[in-house]
Amino acid sequence: FEGYTGASFSATNGVVPDCWDSYATNSNHIAPHIIGSGSYHYVHGGTNALTFYGSGYCYAALPEFTNALSELQVSFWMQTESDTNGELTLGYITAEDVNFNTFTAIETYASNKSSMVQRTTYLNNVPAAATHLVFRWFYSTQFSCCIDDVEVSLIPSCVGPTGLTATDIASTSATLSWTEHGSATAWVLQYGTNKNFTAGTYTEATVNTTPTTNLTGLTAESIYYARVKPECDIEGNNWSDVISFWPTATMEVTVNIA
Protein backbone atom coordinates (compact mmCIF):
# COMPACT_ATOMS: atom_id res chain seq x y z
CA PHE A 1 0.00 0.00 0.00
CA GLU A 2 3.02 2.24 -0.41
CA GLY A 3 3.00 5.09 -2.90
CA TYR A 4 -0.35 6.45 -1.70
CA THR A 5 -1.14 9.21 0.78
CA GLY A 6 -2.32 7.51 3.95
CA ALA A 7 -5.08 8.99 6.12
CA SER A 8 -6.09 8.44 9.76
CA PHE A 9 -8.08 5.38 10.82
CA SER A 10 -11.32 7.41 11.04
CA ALA A 11 -10.90 9.46 7.85
CA THR A 12 -13.92 9.62 5.55
CA ASN A 13 -11.95 10.67 2.47
CA GLY A 14 -9.24 7.98 2.41
CA VAL A 15 -8.19 6.15 -0.75
CA VAL A 16 -7.70 2.53 -1.78
CA PRO A 17 -5.15 1.21 -4.30
CA ASP A 18 -5.86 1.58 -8.00
CA CYS A 19 -8.42 -0.94 -9.27
CA TRP A 20 -9.53 -1.82 -5.72
CA ASP A 21 -13.00 -0.92 -4.48
CA SER A 22 -14.35 -0.32 -0.97
CA TYR A 23 -17.79 -0.04 0.58
CA ALA A 24 -19.39 0.35 4.01
CA THR A 25 -22.94 -0.73 4.79
CA ASN A 26 -23.90 2.12 7.11
CA SER A 27 -22.89 5.62 8.15
CA ASN A 28 -21.21 4.36 11.33
CA HIS A 29 -18.79 2.23 9.33
CA ILE A 30 -16.04 4.03 7.39
CA ALA A 31 -15.09 2.49 4.05
CA PRO A 32 -11.72 0.70 4.09
CA HIS A 33 -8.84 2.97 3.11
CA ILE A 34 -5.08 3.36 3.30
CA ILE A 35 -3.82 4.46 6.71
CA GLY A 36 -0.43 6.13 7.08
CA SER A 37 -0.05 7.16 10.72
CA GLY A 38 -1.81 7.79 14.04
CA SER A 39 -3.88 5.54 16.28
CA TYR A 40 -4.59 1.91 15.30
CA HIS A 41 -1.90 2.15 12.60
CA TYR A 42 -0.52 -1.38 12.19
CA VAL A 43 1.95 -2.14 9.37
CA HIS A 44 4.19 -5.01 8.38
CA GLY A 45 6.45 -3.22 5.91
CA GLY A 46 6.78 0.46 4.99
CA THR A 47 4.47 3.07 6.48
CA ASN A 48 1.05 2.29 4.97
CA ALA A 49 -1.57 -0.41 5.46
CA LEU A 50 -5.26 -0.87 4.62
CA THR A 51 -7.52 -0.16 7.59
CA PHE A 52 -11.07 -1.28 8.39
CA TYR A 53 -12.94 0.61 11.10
CA GLY A 54 -16.45 1.16 12.42
CA SER A 55 -19.63 -0.74 13.23
CA GLY A 56 -21.42 -3.03 10.79
CA TYR A 57 -19.90 -4.51 7.64
CA CYS A 58 -17.31 -2.99 5.35
CA TYR A 59 -15.68 -4.46 2.26
CA ALA A 60 -12.48 -4.07 0.23
CA ALA A 61 -12.44 -5.77 -3.17
CA LEU A 62 -9.28 -6.68 -5.07
CA PRO A 63 -9.04 -6.16 -8.84
CA GLU A 64 -10.01 -8.95 -11.23
CA PHE A 65 -7.24 -11.39 -12.15
CA THR A 66 -6.44 -13.05 -15.47
CA ASN A 67 -6.23 -16.49 -13.87
CA ALA A 68 -9.26 -18.20 -12.40
CA LEU A 69 -9.42 -17.63 -8.63
CA SER A 70 -9.27 -21.39 -8.11
CA GLU A 71 -5.67 -21.36 -9.38
CA LEU A 72 -4.51 -18.80 -6.81
CA GLN A 73 -3.48 -18.38 -3.19
CA VAL A 74 -3.63 -15.23 -1.04
CA SER A 75 -1.05 -14.27 1.57
CA PHE A 76 -1.22 -11.16 3.76
CA TRP A 77 -0.39 -9.75 7.19
CA MET A 78 -3.03 -8.60 9.68
CA GLN A 79 -3.41 -7.06 13.14
CA THR A 80 -6.53 -6.05 15.04
CA GLU A 81 -7.29 -3.53 17.76
CA SER A 82 -8.71 -6.29 19.99
CA ASP A 83 -8.07 -10.01 20.45
CA THR A 84 -11.78 -10.70 20.84
CA ASN A 85 -13.71 -7.99 18.99
CA GLY A 86 -14.14 -7.95 15.24
CA GLU A 87 -14.08 -10.50 12.43
CA LEU A 88 -12.02 -10.38 9.24
CA THR A 89 -13.19 -12.70 6.47
CA LEU A 90 -11.85 -13.35 2.98
CA GLY A 91 -14.52 -14.16 0.42
CA TYR A 92 -15.57 -13.58 -3.16
CA ILE A 93 -18.34 -12.04 -5.21
CA THR A 94 -19.79 -13.42 -8.43
CA ALA A 95 -20.65 -10.23 -10.28
CA GLU A 96 -19.80 -6.54 -10.58
CA ASP A 97 -21.62 -6.14 -7.30
CA VAL A 98 -21.17 -2.60 -5.93
CA ASN A 99 -23.06 -3.46 -2.71
CA PHE A 100 -21.36 -6.86 -2.26
CA ASN A 101 -24.68 -8.66 -1.98
CA THR A 102 -23.18 -11.82 -3.51
CA PHE A 103 -20.35 -12.01 -0.97
CA THR A 104 -19.53 -15.63 -0.03
CA ALA A 105 -17.05 -16.39 2.74
CA ILE A 106 -13.95 -18.51 2.13
CA GLU A 107 -12.11 -18.19 5.45
CA THR A 108 -12.47 -16.16 8.66
CA TYR A 109 -9.31 -15.29 10.59
CA ALA A 110 -8.75 -15.12 14.33
CA SER A 111 -8.25 -11.60 15.67
CA ASN A 112 -4.80 -10.80 17.05
CA LYS A 113 -3.79 -7.67 18.94
CA SER A 114 -0.14 -8.22 19.87
CA SER A 115 1.55 -8.01 16.46
CA MET A 116 1.18 -8.47 12.73
CA VAL A 117 0.69 -12.14 11.77
CA GLN A 118 0.73 -13.71 8.32
CA ARG A 119 -2.27 -15.55 6.92
CA THR A 120 -2.38 -17.71 3.79
CA THR A 121 -5.53 -19.02 2.11
CA TYR A 122 -5.68 -21.41 -0.83
CA LEU A 123 -8.47 -20.73 -3.30
CA ASN A 124 -8.59 -24.08 -5.08
CA ASN A 125 -12.21 -24.69 -4.01
CA VAL A 126 -13.52 -21.30 -5.19
CA PRO A 127 -16.14 -21.79 -7.95
CA ALA A 128 -15.57 -20.67 -11.54
CA ALA A 129 -18.34 -18.06 -11.20
CA ALA A 130 -16.29 -16.06 -8.66
CA THR A 131 -14.98 -12.80 -10.15
CA HIS A 132 -13.33 -10.80 -7.33
CA LEU A 133 -11.69 -11.50 -3.98
CA VAL A 134 -13.07 -9.42 -1.12
CA PHE A 135 -11.96 -8.72 2.45
CA ARG A 136 -14.88 -8.13 4.83
CA TRP A 137 -14.61 -6.68 8.32
CA PHE A 138 -17.47 -6.85 10.82
CA TYR A 139 -18.07 -5.76 14.37
CA SER A 140 -21.15 -4.38 16.14
CA THR A 141 -19.23 -1.43 17.63
CA GLN A 142 -16.23 0.54 16.49
CA PHE A 143 -13.10 -1.60 16.43
CA SER A 144 -10.41 -1.63 13.77
CA CYS A 145 -8.21 -3.98 11.75
CA CYS A 146 -5.27 -3.42 9.41
CA ILE A 147 -3.96 -5.64 6.61
CA ASP A 148 -0.66 -5.22 4.78
CA ASP A 149 1.54 -6.78 2.09
CA VAL A 150 -1.29 -8.58 0.31
CA GLU A 151 0.15 -11.03 -2.25
CA VAL A 152 -1.85 -13.10 -4.72
CA SER A 153 0.06 -15.84 -6.56
CA LEU A 154 -0.40 -19.18 -8.28
CA ILE A 155 -0.80 -22.18 -5.98
CA PRO A 156 2.43 -24.22 -6.16
CA SER A 157 2.10 -27.79 -7.40
CA CYS A 158 3.80 -29.04 -4.22
CA VAL A 159 2.22 -27.28 -1.26
CA GLY A 160 1.71 -28.29 2.36
CA PRO A 161 -1.60 -29.92 3.33
CA THR A 162 -3.89 -28.28 5.88
CA GLY A 163 -6.68 -29.44 8.17
CA LEU A 164 -5.03 -32.62 9.44
CA THR A 165 -7.62 -34.22 11.72
CA ALA A 166 -8.00 -37.43 13.68
CA THR A 167 -11.48 -39.01 13.81
CA ASP A 168 -13.03 -42.38 14.66
CA ILE A 169 -10.56 -42.70 17.52
CA ALA A 170 -10.74 -46.04 19.32
CA SER A 171 -8.47 -47.80 21.81
CA THR A 172 -5.97 -48.97 19.15
CA SER A 173 -6.97 -47.16 15.94
CA ALA A 174 -7.79 -43.79 14.41
CA THR A 175 -8.52 -42.26 11.02
CA LEU A 176 -6.41 -39.34 9.82
CA SER A 177 -7.59 -36.98 7.05
CA TRP A 178 -6.26 -33.74 5.54
CA THR A 179 -6.91 -31.27 2.74
CA GLU A 180 -4.68 -31.14 -0.35
CA HIS A 181 -4.35 -27.74 -2.07
CA GLY A 182 -1.86 -28.58 -4.81
CA SER A 183 -1.74 -31.49 -7.25
CA ALA A 184 -0.21 -34.15 -4.99
CA THR A 185 -1.67 -37.64 -5.11
CA ALA A 186 0.78 -39.22 -2.67
CA TRP A 187 1.71 -38.08 0.84
CA VAL A 188 4.19 -39.01 3.58
CA LEU A 189 2.60 -39.44 7.00
CA GLN A 190 4.54 -39.60 10.25
CA TYR A 191 3.00 -40.52 13.60
CA GLY A 192 4.29 -41.56 17.01
CA THR A 193 4.42 -40.67 20.69
CA ASN A 194 7.27 -38.12 20.43
CA LYS A 195 6.04 -34.68 19.39
CA ASN A 196 9.50 -33.72 18.11
CA PHE A 197 9.59 -36.65 15.68
CA THR A 198 13.06 -37.69 16.75
CA ALA A 199 14.53 -40.37 14.50
CA GLY A 200 13.42 -43.82 15.58
CA THR A 201 10.41 -42.62 17.60
CA TYR A 202 7.77 -42.53 14.86
CA THR A 203 6.21 -44.62 12.12
CA GLU A 204 6.33 -43.31 8.54
CA ALA A 205 3.87 -44.40 5.88
CA THR A 206 3.10 -43.39 2.29
CA VAL A 207 -0.55 -42.69 1.54
CA ASN A 208 -1.67 -42.81 -2.09
CA THR A 209 -4.55 -41.34 -4.08
CA THR A 210 -6.89 -40.15 -1.27
CA PRO A 211 -5.86 -37.82 1.60
CA THR A 212 -7.05 -40.11 4.37
CA THR A 213 -5.77 -43.25 6.08
CA ASN A 214 -6.70 -45.58 8.92
CA LEU A 215 -4.10 -46.25 11.61
CA THR A 216 -4.17 -49.53 13.53
CA GLY A 217 -2.03 -51.16 16.19
CA LEU A 218 -1.89 -48.05 18.35
CA THR A 219 -1.30 -48.23 22.10
CA ALA A 220 -4.35 -47.30 24.14
CA GLU A 221 -4.15 -44.33 26.54
CA SER A 222 -0.98 -42.98 24.85
CA ILE A 223 -0.79 -39.53 23.28
CA TYR A 224 0.13 -39.70 19.59
CA TYR A 225 1.39 -36.92 17.34
CA ALA A 226 1.04 -36.79 13.57
CA ARG A 227 2.04 -34.67 10.59
CA VAL A 228 1.84 -35.08 6.83
CA LYS A 229 3.51 -33.63 3.72
CA PRO A 230 3.22 -34.19 -0.03
CA GLU A 231 5.60 -36.86 -1.33
CA CYS A 232 6.98 -34.32 -3.82
CA ASP A 233 8.43 -32.29 -0.92
CA ILE A 234 11.89 -33.83 -0.81
CA GLU A 235 13.38 -31.17 1.49
CA GLY A 236 10.59 -31.42 4.09
CA ASN A 237 9.55 -27.76 3.87
CA ASN A 238 5.81 -28.34 3.57
CA TRP A 239 4.77 -30.35 6.61
CA SER A 240 1.27 -29.77 7.90
CA ASP A 241 0.64 -28.51 11.40
CA VAL A 242 1.26 -31.20 14.02
CA ILE A 243 -1.81 -32.61 15.75
CA SER A 244 -2.09 -34.81 18.80
CA PHE A 245 -4.70 -37.48 19.50
CA TRP A 246 -5.34 -39.96 22.29
CA PRO A 247 -6.46 -43.49 21.46
CA THR A 248 -9.11 -44.44 24.00
CA ALA A 249 -12.21 -46.55 23.95
CA THR A 250 -14.42 -43.91 25.55
CA MET A 251 -13.77 -40.53 23.93
CA GLU A 252 -12.17 -38.64 21.04
CA VAL A 253 -9.56 -35.92 21.70
CA THR A 254 -7.74 -34.03 18.90
CA VAL A 255 -5.55 -30.98 19.56
CA ASN A 256 -3.77 -28.80 17.02
CA ILE A 257 -0.44 -27.96 18.69
CA ALA A 258 1.30 -25.99 15.91
Side-chain angles (χ1 to χ4, degrees):
F1 301 106
E2 303 306 305
Y4 296 89
T5 300
S8 69
F9 74 96
S10 58
T12 58
N13 60 347
V15 299
V16 292
D18 295 341
C19 301
W20 284 54
D21 192 17
S22 64
Y23 175 73
T25 56
N26 64 59
S27 59
N28 292 323
H29 213 135
I30 297 167
H33 59 275
I34 295 172
I35 184 173
S37 62
S39 300
Y40 314 121
H41 170 234
Y42 313 123
V43 297
H44 175 251
T47 58
N48 288 347
L50 191 72
T51 185
F52 302 78
Y53 172 74
S55 58
Y57 289 100
C58 65
Y59 303 84
L62 281 69
E64 192 168 1
F65 298 99
T66 302
N67 293 81
L69 295 185
S70 59
E71 299 174 358
L72 305 175
Q73 63 182 18
V74 180
S75 178
F76 65 98
W77 294 78
M78 66 171 287
Q79 186 173 348
T80 54
E81 180 185 348
S82 168
D83 282 328
T84 57
N85 299 314
E87 182 179 87
L88 181 69
T89 301
L90 179 69
Y92 63 85
I93 55 175
T94 57
E96 293 293 340
D97 179 7
V98 295
N99 293 323
F100 298 94
N101 293 319
T102 62
F103 179 86
T104 301
I106 300 171
E107 184 171 359
T108 297
Y109 308 99
S111 294
N112 58 284
K113 180 181 179 180
S114 60
S115 63
M116 276 271 173
V117 295
Q118 188 175 34
R119 310 293 194 193
T120 299
T121 295
Y122 301 102
L123 307 177
N124 50 301
N125 292 322
V126 172
T131 59
H132 292 78
L133 291 174
V134 178
F135 286 101
R136 183 184 71 183
W137 173 252
F138 171 77
Y139 192 61
S140 57
T141 58
Q142 295 178 336
F143 279 88
S144 65
C145 170
C146 285
I147 63 172
D148 199 5
D149 292 342
V150 179
E151 180 180 352
V152 180
S153 57
L154 292 171
I155 298 174
S157 60
C158 191
V159 64
T162 62
L164 178 61
T165 305
T167 58
D168 298 327
I169 302 170
S171 59
T172 60
S173 64
T175 297
L176 300 187
S177 304
W178 56 92
T179 300
E180 168 62 31
H181 298 284
S183 56
T185 56
W187 303 267
V188 176
L189 173 71
Q190 293 180 349
Y191 63 96
T193 56
N194 185 316
K195 66 180 178 181
N196 296 317
F197 295 93
T198 305
T201 65
Y202 60 83
T203 299
E204 183 171 288
T206 299
V207 180
N208 294 299
T209 309
T210 304
T212 185
T213 189
N214 186 48
L215 307 182
T216 59
L218 304 177
T219 301
E221 310 302 328
S222 296
I223 297 176
Y224 279 81
Y225 302 90
R227 63 181 183 176
V228 64
K229 69 170 186 172
E231 190 177 48
C232 57
D233 177 20
I234 304 301
E235 301 296 326
N237 296 321
N238 293 301
W239 287 105
S240 69
D241 288 345
V242 176
I243 65 166
S244 65
F245 60 98
W246 181 31
T248 173
T250 58
M251 63 183 299
E252 297 183 4
V253 179
T254 303
V255 181
N256 188 325
I257 65 170

